[in-house]
Short mmCIF file of all heavy atoms in Angstrom, two decimals:
data_model
loop_
_atom_site.label_atom_id
_atom_site.label_comp_id
_atom_site.label_asym_id
_atom_site.label_seq_id
_atom_site.Cartn_x
_atom_site.Cartn_y
_atom_site.Cartn_z
N ILE P 298 104.34 122.46 97.53
CA ILE P 298 104.26 121.12 97.44
C ILE P 298 104.57 120.69 96.01
O ILE P 298 105.21 119.61 95.82
CB ILE P 298 102.90 120.53 97.99
CG1 ILE P 298 103.08 120.14 99.41
CG2 ILE P 298 102.30 119.43 97.13
CD1 ILE P 298 101.97 119.42 100.05
N ASP P 299 104.11 121.45 95.00
CA ASP P 299 104.42 120.95 93.60
C ASP P 299 105.86 120.82 93.24
O ASP P 299 106.41 119.98 92.60
CB ASP P 299 103.80 121.90 92.61
CG ASP P 299 102.28 121.89 92.55
OD1 ASP P 299 101.72 120.77 93.01
OD2 ASP P 299 101.60 122.75 92.17
N VAL P 300 106.66 121.77 94.04
CA VAL P 300 108.12 121.71 93.83
C VAL P 300 108.73 120.45 94.47
O VAL P 300 109.52 119.73 93.79
CB VAL P 300 108.80 122.97 94.42
CG1 VAL P 300 110.32 122.79 94.34
CG2 VAL P 300 108.37 124.18 93.65
N ALA P 301 108.17 120.08 95.52
CA ALA P 301 108.69 118.80 96.29
C ALA P 301 108.29 117.65 95.42
O ALA P 301 109.15 116.69 95.23
CB ALA P 301 108.11 118.75 97.58
N VAL P 302 107.12 117.70 94.82
CA VAL P 302 106.59 116.56 94.06
C VAL P 302 107.49 116.33 92.75
O VAL P 302 107.97 115.19 92.55
CB VAL P 302 105.19 116.69 93.64
CG1 VAL P 302 104.67 115.60 92.61
CG2 VAL P 302 104.25 116.73 94.82
N SER P 303 107.78 117.42 92.14
CA SER P 303 108.68 117.27 90.92
C SER P 303 110.09 116.90 91.29
O SER P 303 110.81 116.13 90.56
CB SER P 303 108.75 118.53 90.18
OG SER P 303 109.43 119.53 90.82
N LYS P 304 110.58 117.25 92.52
CA LYS P 304 111.95 116.92 92.96
C LYS P 304 112.00 115.41 93.25
O LYS P 304 112.89 114.73 92.95
CB LYS P 304 112.48 117.66 94.31
CG LYS P 304 112.40 119.09 94.07
CD LYS P 304 113.57 119.49 93.19
CE LYS P 304 113.71 121.01 93.10
NZ LYS P 304 114.46 121.47 91.96
N TYR P 305 110.92 114.84 93.78
CA TYR P 305 110.88 113.38 94.01
C TYR P 305 110.98 112.60 92.70
O TYR P 305 111.61 111.62 92.62
CB TYR P 305 109.57 112.92 94.73
CG TYR P 305 109.59 113.31 96.20
CD1 TYR P 305 108.48 113.92 96.82
CD2 TYR P 305 110.75 113.12 96.95
CE1 TYR P 305 108.45 114.30 98.18
CE2 TYR P 305 110.76 113.55 98.38
CZ TYR P 305 109.53 113.98 98.91
OH TYR P 305 109.56 114.25 100.21
N LYS P 306 110.33 113.06 91.66
CA LYS P 306 110.31 112.43 90.38
C LYS P 306 111.65 112.62 89.76
O LYS P 306 112.23 111.58 89.10
CB LYS P 306 109.24 112.92 89.37
CG LYS P 306 109.19 112.08 88.11
CD LYS P 306 107.97 112.39 87.35
CE LYS P 306 107.99 111.46 86.12
NZ LYS P 306 106.78 111.68 85.30
N LYS P 307 112.25 113.66 89.87
CA LYS P 307 113.58 113.94 89.29
C LYS P 307 114.59 113.01 89.99
O LYS P 307 115.46 112.45 89.46
CB LYS P 307 114.01 115.33 89.36
CG LYS P 307 113.32 116.22 88.46
CD LYS P 307 113.73 117.77 88.51
CE LYS P 307 113.00 118.58 87.60
NZ LYS P 307 113.31 120.00 87.73
N LEU P 308 114.52 112.87 91.32
CA LEU P 308 115.34 111.98 92.10
C LEU P 308 115.18 110.50 91.59
O LEU P 308 116.12 109.75 91.46
CB LEU P 308 115.22 112.18 93.56
CG LEU P 308 115.87 113.38 94.16
CD1 LEU P 308 115.28 113.59 95.54
CD2 LEU P 308 117.36 113.28 94.07
N ALA P 309 113.95 110.19 91.42
CA ALA P 309 113.60 108.80 90.94
C ALA P 309 114.34 108.52 89.53
O ALA P 309 114.97 107.52 89.31
CB ALA P 309 112.13 108.53 90.87
N LEU P 310 114.20 109.58 88.68
CA LEU P 310 114.79 109.40 87.38
C LEU P 310 116.39 109.27 87.38
O LEU P 310 116.94 108.45 86.77
CB LEU P 310 114.38 110.51 86.43
CG LEU P 310 112.89 110.54 86.08
CD1 LEU P 310 112.56 111.79 85.38
CD2 LEU P 310 112.50 109.23 85.30
N LEU P 311 116.84 110.12 88.27
CA LEU P 311 118.39 109.97 88.49
C LEU P 311 118.84 108.79 89.03
O LEU P 311 119.85 108.04 88.56
CB LEU P 311 118.84 111.23 89.46
CG LEU P 311 118.88 112.60 88.83
CD1 LEU P 311 119.06 113.67 89.96
CD2 LEU P 311 119.74 112.75 87.72
N TYR P 312 118.11 108.13 90.08
CA TYR P 312 118.54 106.85 90.60
C TYR P 312 118.43 105.79 89.47
O TYR P 312 119.05 104.82 89.53
CB TYR P 312 117.78 106.49 91.87
CG TYR P 312 118.39 107.21 93.05
CD1 TYR P 312 117.75 108.29 93.80
CD2 TYR P 312 119.70 106.81 93.58
CE1 TYR P 312 118.37 108.93 94.83
CE2 TYR P 312 120.29 107.47 94.64
CZ TYR P 312 119.58 108.48 95.32
OH TYR P 312 120.23 109.10 96.36
N GLU P 313 117.28 106.00 88.72
CA GLU P 313 117.06 104.93 87.69
C GLU P 313 118.29 104.94 86.79
O GLU P 313 118.79 103.83 86.33
CB GLU P 313 115.82 105.19 86.99
CG GLU P 313 115.51 104.13 85.81
CD GLU P 313 114.15 104.45 85.14
OE1 GLU P 313 113.63 105.61 85.33
OE2 GLU P 313 113.72 103.51 84.52
N GLN P 314 118.78 106.11 86.36
CA GLN P 314 119.94 106.27 85.42
C GLN P 314 121.21 105.56 86.09
O GLN P 314 122.01 105.02 85.32
CB GLN P 314 120.12 107.71 85.04
CG GLN P 314 119.17 108.32 84.14
CD GLN P 314 119.44 109.64 83.95
OE1 GLN P 314 120.25 110.40 84.46
NE2 GLN P 314 118.66 110.34 83.03
N LYS P 315 121.29 105.72 87.35
CA LYS P 315 122.43 105.11 88.04
C LYS P 315 122.28 103.58 88.27
O LYS P 315 123.17 102.86 88.68
CB LYS P 315 122.62 105.78 89.43
CG LYS P 315 123.05 107.27 89.24
CD LYS P 315 123.10 107.94 90.70
CE LYS P 315 124.40 107.52 91.40
NZ LYS P 315 124.64 108.18 92.62
N GLY P 316 121.01 103.06 87.97
CA GLY P 316 120.78 101.57 88.14
C GLY P 316 120.45 101.26 89.55
O GLY P 316 120.43 100.06 89.85
N ASP P 317 120.09 102.19 90.39
CA ASP P 317 119.83 101.92 91.86
C ASP P 317 118.28 101.85 91.79
O ASP P 317 117.55 102.84 92.15
CB ASP P 317 120.25 103.05 92.77
CG ASP P 317 120.13 102.68 94.29
OD1 ASP P 317 119.17 101.81 94.51
OD2 ASP P 317 120.75 103.28 94.98
N TYR P 318 117.74 100.64 91.47
CA TYR P 318 116.25 100.58 91.35
C TYR P 318 115.52 100.66 92.63
O TYR P 318 114.34 101.11 92.70
CB TYR P 318 115.90 99.28 90.52
CG TYR P 318 116.53 99.33 89.16
CD1 TYR P 318 117.11 98.05 88.69
CD2 TYR P 318 116.63 100.54 88.42
CE1 TYR P 318 117.69 98.16 87.33
CE2 TYR P 318 117.04 100.50 87.08
CZ TYR P 318 117.66 99.29 86.60
OH TYR P 318 118.22 99.44 85.41
N GLN P 319 116.14 100.15 93.77
CA GLN P 319 115.46 100.29 94.96
C GLN P 319 115.23 101.81 95.33
O GLN P 319 114.12 102.14 95.84
CB GLN P 319 116.27 99.59 96.11
CG GLN P 319 115.53 99.32 97.37
CD GLN P 319 114.27 98.44 97.13
OE1 GLN P 319 114.32 97.40 96.52
NE2 GLN P 319 113.13 99.01 97.53
N LYS P 320 116.29 102.63 95.24
CA LYS P 320 116.13 103.99 95.53
C LYS P 320 115.08 104.71 94.50
O LYS P 320 114.36 105.55 94.88
CB LYS P 320 117.47 104.72 95.34
CG LYS P 320 118.26 104.59 96.61
CD LYS P 320 117.77 105.42 97.63
CE LYS P 320 118.77 105.59 98.82
NZ LYS P 320 118.34 106.31 99.94
N THR P 321 115.16 104.16 93.22
CA THR P 321 114.27 104.66 92.23
C THR P 321 112.76 104.50 92.72
O THR P 321 111.93 105.41 92.75
CB THR P 321 114.45 103.92 90.90
OG1 THR P 321 115.68 104.17 90.45
CG2 THR P 321 113.53 104.52 89.76
N ILE P 322 112.46 103.25 93.21
CA ILE P 322 111.19 102.84 93.69
C ILE P 322 110.82 103.77 94.91
O ILE P 322 109.74 104.35 95.05
CB ILE P 322 111.05 101.44 93.98
CG1 ILE P 322 111.15 100.63 92.73
CG2 ILE P 322 109.86 101.10 94.75
CD1 ILE P 322 111.36 99.01 92.90
N GLU P 323 111.72 103.93 95.79
CA GLU P 323 111.53 104.75 96.93
C GLU P 323 111.10 106.17 96.61
O GLU P 323 110.11 106.70 97.21
CB GLU P 323 112.80 104.85 97.79
CG GLU P 323 112.68 105.64 99.05
CD GLU P 323 114.12 105.74 99.70
OE1 GLU P 323 114.81 104.74 99.66
OE2 GLU P 323 114.31 106.74 100.38
N TYR P 324 111.77 106.85 95.62
CA TYR P 324 111.41 108.21 95.32
C TYR P 324 110.17 108.30 94.41
O TYR P 324 109.35 109.25 94.59
CB TYR P 324 112.59 108.87 94.62
CG TYR P 324 113.53 109.33 95.72
CD1 TYR P 324 114.73 108.68 95.87
CD2 TYR P 324 113.27 110.45 96.47
CE1 TYR P 324 115.63 109.07 96.91
CE2 TYR P 324 114.16 110.87 97.47
CZ TYR P 324 115.32 110.23 97.75
OH TYR P 324 116.15 110.54 98.69
N TYR P 325 109.89 107.25 93.63
CA TYR P 325 108.60 107.31 92.89
C TYR P 325 107.47 107.14 93.82
O TYR P 325 106.50 107.80 93.74
CB TYR P 325 108.60 106.09 91.87
CG TYR P 325 108.96 106.52 90.42
CD1 TYR P 325 110.02 105.89 89.83
CD2 TYR P 325 108.21 107.45 89.76
CE1 TYR P 325 110.38 106.21 88.63
CE2 TYR P 325 108.63 107.90 88.50
CZ TYR P 325 109.76 107.25 87.90
OH TYR P 325 110.01 107.62 86.61
N ASN P 326 107.61 106.27 94.98
CA ASN P 326 106.49 106.10 95.87
C ASN P 326 106.33 107.51 96.65
O ASN P 326 105.17 107.83 96.97
CB ASN P 326 106.87 104.87 96.84
CG ASN P 326 106.56 103.74 96.20
OD1 ASN P 326 105.71 103.57 95.31
ND2 ASN P 326 107.37 102.65 96.65
N LYS P 327 107.33 108.17 96.92
CA LYS P 327 107.19 109.56 97.60
C LYS P 327 106.48 110.54 96.63
O LYS P 327 105.58 111.25 96.90
CB LYS P 327 108.50 110.15 97.96
CG LYS P 327 109.11 109.38 99.17
CD LYS P 327 110.47 110.02 99.57
CE LYS P 327 111.05 109.29 100.76
NZ LYS P 327 112.27 109.92 101.20
N PHE P 328 106.89 110.35 95.31
CA PHE P 328 106.18 111.06 94.34
C PHE P 328 104.68 110.87 94.21
O PHE P 328 103.89 111.77 94.19
CB PHE P 328 106.85 110.86 92.90
CG PHE P 328 106.15 111.39 91.69
CD1 PHE P 328 106.01 112.89 91.49
CD2 PHE P 328 105.51 110.53 90.81
CE1 PHE P 328 105.34 113.26 90.38
CE2 PHE P 328 104.83 111.03 89.62
CZ PHE P 328 104.75 112.29 89.55
N PHE P 329 104.36 109.47 94.26
CA PHE P 329 102.95 109.07 94.19
C PHE P 329 102.18 109.61 95.42
O PHE P 329 100.96 109.95 95.32
CB PHE P 329 102.76 107.64 94.12
CG PHE P 329 103.35 106.97 92.83
CD1 PHE P 329 104.05 105.78 92.92
CD2 PHE P 329 103.39 107.60 91.68
CE1 PHE P 329 104.60 105.26 91.75
CE2 PHE P 329 103.91 107.12 90.56
CZ PHE P 329 104.59 105.80 90.56
N ASP P 330 102.78 109.62 96.59
CA ASP P 330 102.13 110.07 97.85
C ASP P 330 101.62 111.48 97.75
O ASP P 330 100.61 111.87 98.29
CB ASP P 330 103.16 110.06 99.09
CG ASP P 330 103.36 108.56 99.51
OD1 ASP P 330 102.62 107.60 99.15
OD2 ASP P 330 104.29 108.35 100.30
N TYR P 331 102.34 112.35 97.01
CA TYR P 331 101.96 113.83 96.94
C TYR P 331 101.36 114.21 95.68
O TYR P 331 100.85 115.29 95.49
CB TYR P 331 103.25 114.66 97.26
CG TYR P 331 103.66 114.43 98.62
CD1 TYR P 331 104.78 113.63 98.91
CD2 TYR P 331 103.03 115.09 99.76
CE1 TYR P 331 105.20 113.46 100.20
CE2 TYR P 331 103.41 114.83 101.06
CZ TYR P 331 104.55 114.08 101.20
OH TYR P 331 104.98 113.82 102.54
N SER P 332 101.54 113.34 94.54
CA SER P 332 101.06 113.76 93.31
C SER P 332 99.50 113.60 93.21
O SER P 332 98.91 112.66 93.76
CB SER P 332 101.62 112.88 92.22
OG SER P 332 101.24 113.19 90.91
N THR P 333 98.92 114.51 92.36
CA THR P 333 97.43 114.39 92.31
C THR P 333 96.98 113.66 90.99
O THR P 333 95.72 113.37 90.81
CB THR P 333 96.81 115.79 92.31
OG1 THR P 333 97.42 116.60 91.37
CG2 THR P 333 97.02 116.43 93.67
N SER P 334 97.86 113.39 90.12
CA SER P 334 97.46 112.79 88.80
C SER P 334 97.60 111.21 88.92
O SER P 334 98.16 110.69 89.87
CB SER P 334 98.35 113.24 87.51
OG SER P 334 99.64 112.89 87.85
N SER P 335 97.04 110.52 87.98
CA SER P 335 96.95 109.05 88.05
C SER P 335 98.33 108.36 87.91
O SER P 335 98.59 107.25 88.39
CB SER P 335 95.98 108.59 87.10
OG SER P 335 96.30 108.76 85.83
N ASN P 336 99.24 108.99 87.06
CA ASN P 336 100.54 108.50 86.86
C ASN P 336 100.69 107.09 86.46
O ASN P 336 101.46 106.36 86.85
CB ASN P 336 101.37 108.65 88.18
CG ASN P 336 101.40 110.08 88.60
OD1 ASN P 336 101.77 111.03 87.96
ND2 ASN P 336 101.02 110.26 89.95
N THR P 337 99.71 106.67 85.54
CA THR P 337 99.69 105.24 85.13
C THR P 337 101.06 104.76 84.51
O THR P 337 101.58 103.76 84.89
CB THR P 337 98.63 105.05 83.99
OG1 THR P 337 97.41 105.41 84.68
CG2 THR P 337 98.51 103.62 83.65
N SER P 338 101.64 105.65 83.72
CA SER P 338 102.93 105.18 83.04
C SER P 338 104.01 105.07 84.07
O SER P 338 104.89 104.19 83.99
CB SER P 338 103.33 106.14 81.93
OG SER P 338 103.55 107.43 82.38
N ASP P 339 104.04 106.06 85.06
CA ASP P 339 105.02 106.00 86.09
C ASP P 339 104.88 104.71 86.92
O ASP P 339 105.79 104.11 87.42
CB ASP P 339 105.03 107.28 87.04
CG ASP P 339 105.53 108.50 86.19
OD1 ASP P 339 106.50 108.32 85.35
OD2 ASP P 339 105.00 109.50 86.50
N LYS P 340 103.58 104.40 87.34
CA LYS P 340 103.32 103.27 88.10
C LYS P 340 103.64 102.05 87.41
O LYS P 340 104.17 101.08 88.06
CB LYS P 340 101.72 103.24 88.56
CG LYS P 340 101.51 104.35 89.62
CD LYS P 340 100.08 104.24 89.95
CE LYS P 340 99.76 105.28 90.98
NZ LYS P 340 98.36 105.33 91.43
N SER P 341 103.48 102.03 86.14
CA SER P 341 103.88 100.79 85.25
C SER P 341 105.33 100.62 85.40
O SER P 341 105.88 99.49 85.41
CB SER P 341 103.40 100.95 83.86
OG SER P 341 103.81 99.87 83.14
N LYS P 342 106.02 101.75 85.32
CA LYS P 342 107.59 101.70 85.37
C LYS P 342 108.00 101.12 86.73
O LYS P 342 108.92 100.31 86.75
CB LYS P 342 108.23 103.11 85.15
CG LYS P 342 109.66 103.18 85.19
CD LYS P 342 110.25 104.49 85.10
CE LYS P 342 110.06 105.12 83.72
NZ LYS P 342 110.69 106.30 83.44
N VAL P 343 107.35 101.53 87.80
CA VAL P 343 107.70 101.08 89.02
C VAL P 343 107.38 99.55 89.20
O VAL P 343 108.19 98.71 89.69
CB VAL P 343 106.96 101.77 90.30
CG1 VAL P 343 107.13 101.15 91.55
CG2 VAL P 343 107.44 103.21 90.36
N ALA P 344 106.34 99.05 88.59
CA ALA P 344 105.95 97.67 88.55
C ALA P 344 107.02 96.87 87.82
O ALA P 344 107.46 95.83 88.29
CB ALA P 344 104.57 97.40 87.91
N ASP P 345 107.37 97.55 86.69
CA ASP P 345 108.52 96.81 85.98
C ASP P 345 109.84 96.75 86.77
O ASP P 345 110.53 95.64 86.77
CB ASP P 345 108.85 97.67 84.68
CG ASP P 345 107.68 97.52 83.67
OD1 ASP P 345 106.88 96.58 83.74
OD2 ASP P 345 107.76 98.38 82.74
N LEU P 346 110.12 97.81 87.48
CA LEU P 346 111.35 97.76 88.39
C LEU P 346 111.21 96.70 89.40
O LEU P 346 112.20 95.98 89.73
CB LEU P 346 111.61 99.04 88.97
CG LEU P 346 111.97 100.21 87.93
CD1 LEU P 346 112.03 101.58 88.69
CD2 LEU P 346 113.36 99.92 87.38
N TYR P 347 110.03 96.62 90.15
CA TYR P 347 109.91 95.53 91.07
C TYR P 347 110.09 94.23 90.51
O TYR P 347 110.68 93.33 91.02
CB TYR P 347 108.45 95.64 91.73
CG TYR P 347 108.28 96.53 92.79
CD1 TYR P 347 107.30 97.51 92.90
CD2 TYR P 347 109.06 96.31 93.97
CE1 TYR P 347 107.12 98.34 94.00
CE2 TYR P 347 108.88 97.12 95.14
CZ TYR P 347 107.94 98.23 95.08
OH TYR P 347 107.75 99.02 96.20
N ALA P 348 109.58 93.96 89.26
CA ALA P 348 109.81 92.66 88.59
C ALA P 348 111.29 92.48 88.29
O ALA P 348 111.73 91.32 88.51
CB ALA P 348 108.99 92.68 87.26
N GLN P 349 111.99 93.50 87.88
CA GLN P 349 113.43 93.29 87.64
C GLN P 349 114.11 92.84 88.95
O GLN P 349 115.14 92.19 88.95
CB GLN P 349 114.12 94.48 87.12
CG GLN P 349 113.74 94.88 85.70
CD GLN P 349 114.46 95.95 85.20
OE1 GLN P 349 114.29 97.11 85.60
NE2 GLN P 349 115.44 95.78 84.25
N LEU P 350 113.66 93.39 90.06
CA LEU P 350 114.17 93.08 91.36
C LEU P 350 113.76 91.77 92.05
O LEU P 350 114.02 91.44 93.07
CB LEU P 350 113.99 94.20 92.40
CG LEU P 350 114.72 95.53 92.05
CD1 LEU P 350 114.16 96.61 92.99
CD2 LEU P 350 116.20 95.41 92.13
N GLU P 351 112.88 91.15 91.09
CA GLU P 351 112.25 89.75 91.50
C GLU P 351 111.31 89.91 92.65
O GLU P 351 111.15 88.96 93.49
CB GLU P 351 113.39 88.72 91.72
CG GLU P 351 114.07 88.44 90.48
CD GLU P 351 115.14 87.30 90.71
OE1 GLU P 351 115.29 86.79 91.79
OE2 GLU P 351 115.86 87.01 89.68
N LYS P 352 110.69 91.10 92.84
CA LYS P 352 109.69 91.38 93.79
C LYS P 352 108.30 91.30 93.07
O LYS P 352 107.62 92.25 92.96
CB LYS P 352 109.88 92.74 94.56
CG LYS P 352 111.17 92.71 95.29
CD LYS P 352 111.40 93.90 96.06
CE LYS P 352 112.70 93.93 96.94
NZ LYS P 352 112.73 95.05 97.70
N TYR P 353 107.97 89.95 92.76
CA TYR P 353 106.89 89.80 91.84
C TYR P 353 105.50 90.25 92.52
O TYR P 353 104.54 90.69 91.76
CB TYR P 353 106.92 88.49 91.31
CG TYR P 353 108.11 88.14 90.47
CD1 TYR P 353 109.11 87.12 91.06
CD2 TYR P 353 108.50 88.70 89.40
CE1 TYR P 353 110.21 86.91 90.41
CE2 TYR P 353 109.64 88.54 88.71
CZ TYR P 353 110.54 87.52 89.19
OH TYR P 353 111.70 87.20 88.58
N ASN P 354 105.36 89.93 93.71
CA ASN P 354 104.07 90.28 94.47
C ASN P 354 103.81 91.74 94.39
O ASN P 354 102.59 92.16 94.11
CB ASN P 354 104.18 89.86 95.91
CG ASN P 354 103.99 88.22 95.93
OD1 ASN P 354 103.45 87.67 95.00
ND2 ASN P 354 104.46 87.69 96.99
N GLU P 355 104.85 92.52 94.57
CA GLU P 355 104.68 93.99 94.54
C GLU P 355 104.33 94.45 93.15
O GLU P 355 103.51 95.35 92.87
CB GLU P 355 105.93 94.77 95.08
CG GLU P 355 106.15 94.71 96.51
CD GLU P 355 107.00 93.39 96.89
OE1 GLU P 355 107.13 92.48 96.11
OE2 GLU P 355 107.49 93.44 98.04
N ALA P 356 105.03 93.88 92.15
CA ALA P 356 104.73 94.25 90.76
C ALA P 356 103.30 93.85 90.47
O ALA P 356 102.64 94.70 89.77
CB ALA P 356 105.73 93.53 89.87
N ILE P 357 102.96 92.71 90.71
CA ILE P 357 101.51 92.21 90.44
C ILE P 357 100.54 93.15 91.07
O ILE P 357 99.44 93.60 90.41
CB ILE P 357 101.27 90.77 90.87
CG1 ILE P 357 102.09 89.91 89.97
CG2 ILE P 357 99.83 90.33 90.72
CD1 ILE P 357 102.18 88.44 90.43
N LYS P 358 100.76 93.60 92.31
CA LYS P 358 99.85 94.50 93.05
C LYS P 358 99.65 95.79 92.24
O LYS P 358 98.50 96.23 92.18
CB LYS P 358 100.34 94.77 94.44
CG LYS P 358 99.41 95.43 95.35
CD LYS P 358 100.02 95.83 96.77
CE LYS P 358 100.76 94.54 97.39
NZ LYS P 358 101.25 94.85 98.61
N ILE P 359 100.70 96.34 91.72
CA ILE P 359 100.70 97.57 91.03
C ILE P 359 100.05 97.37 89.65
O ILE P 359 99.17 98.19 89.21
CB ILE P 359 102.06 98.27 90.84
CG1 ILE P 359 102.73 98.63 92.18
CG2 ILE P 359 102.07 99.44 89.89
CD1 ILE P 359 104.05 99.08 92.22
N TYR P 360 100.36 96.24 88.97
CA TYR P 360 99.71 96.03 87.72
C TYR P 360 98.23 95.89 87.88
O TYR P 360 97.42 96.35 87.01
CB TYR P 360 100.22 94.75 87.02
CG TYR P 360 101.67 94.87 86.54
CD1 TYR P 360 102.61 93.94 86.82
CD2 TYR P 360 102.08 95.89 85.66
CE1 TYR P 360 103.98 93.89 86.32
CE2 TYR P 360 103.29 96.00 85.24
CZ TYR P 360 104.26 95.00 85.48
OH TYR P 360 105.56 95.09 85.10
N GLU P 361 97.73 95.25 88.93
CA GLU P 361 96.36 95.10 89.20
C GLU P 361 95.68 96.49 89.50
O GLU P 361 94.55 96.69 88.99
CB GLU P 361 96.00 94.14 90.32
CG GLU P 361 96.32 92.70 89.92
CD GLU P 361 96.20 91.69 91.18
OE1 GLU P 361 96.27 92.19 92.32
OE2 GLU P 361 96.15 90.52 90.88
N GLU P 362 96.45 97.31 90.19
CA GLU P 362 95.83 98.65 90.51
C GLU P 362 95.72 99.49 89.20
O GLU P 362 94.70 100.11 89.04
CB GLU P 362 96.83 99.37 91.43
CG GLU P 362 96.44 100.67 91.83
CD GLU P 362 97.58 101.39 92.67
OE1 GLU P 362 98.08 100.69 93.53
OE2 GLU P 362 97.86 102.64 92.50
N ILE P 363 96.71 99.29 88.31
CA ILE P 363 96.69 100.06 87.07
C ILE P 363 95.37 99.45 86.25
O ILE P 363 94.71 100.30 85.62
CB ILE P 363 97.91 99.85 86.20
CG1 ILE P 363 99.09 100.65 86.96
CG2 ILE P 363 97.80 100.44 84.81
CD1 ILE P 363 100.44 100.35 86.43
N ALA P 364 95.25 98.22 86.17
CA ALA P 364 94.11 97.59 85.44
C ALA P 364 92.72 98.07 85.95
O ALA P 364 91.91 98.12 85.06
CB ALA P 364 94.21 96.09 85.41
N GLN P 365 92.74 98.37 87.16
CA GLN P 365 91.38 98.77 87.75
C GLN P 365 91.04 100.31 87.49
O GLN P 365 89.92 100.73 87.81
CB GLN P 365 91.32 98.45 89.17
CG GLN P 365 91.35 96.99 89.44
CD GLN P 365 91.32 96.73 90.96
OE1 GLN P 365 91.41 97.59 91.79
NE2 GLN P 365 91.33 95.47 91.39
N THR P 366 91.95 101.05 86.95
CA THR P 366 91.70 102.46 86.67
C THR P 366 91.12 102.72 85.42
O THR P 366 91.18 101.96 84.51
CB THR P 366 93.01 103.33 86.88
OG1 THR P 366 94.00 102.84 85.96
CG2 THR P 366 93.49 103.27 88.29
#
């Protein structure tokens, strides 16, 4: 499972480099589903991407989740 988790993050980073933020978010969310660490910086990045995509409610939800940790 650790290999799959790292692959999801690598795919997220590749899609981010390509500018496909929707796919980036999709793979980060898969990464979060299987990862055991808190991933605060990665979650913050996803919240920023949601904000760039003007999906403010999703961004706020993640920022609030981060603030509660």
Side-chain angles (χ1 to χ4, degrees):
I298 262 186
D299 288 339
V300 173
V302 171
S303 72
K304 298 291 184 204
Y305 286 138
K306 184 167 183 178
K307 287 179 184 177
L308 283 165
L310 293 171
L311 288 171
Y312 278 111
E313 184 179 12
Q314 288 175 351
K315 294 175 77 174
D317 188 340
Y318 299 138
Q319 194 59 50
K320 281 283 194 188
T321 302
I322 291 168
E323 178 184 330
Y324 280 101
Y325 265 120
N326 284 331
K327 289 181 181 185
F328 168 70
F329 298 145
D330 286 344
Y331 296 101
S332 179
T333 56
S334 63
S335 65
N336 303 306
T337 302
S338 63
D339 292 327
K340 287 181 181 178
S341 180
K342 182 184 287 190
V343 170
D345 293 344
L346 292 172
Y347 273 127
Q349 283 185 298
L350 294 172
E351 298 181 1
K352 295 183 176 187
Y353 301 115
N354 289 335
E355 289 90 342
I357 290 168
K358 191 183 312 181
I359 294 171
Y360 289 134
E361 288 175 341
E362 179 184 316
I363 292 168
Q365 292 176 359
T366 59

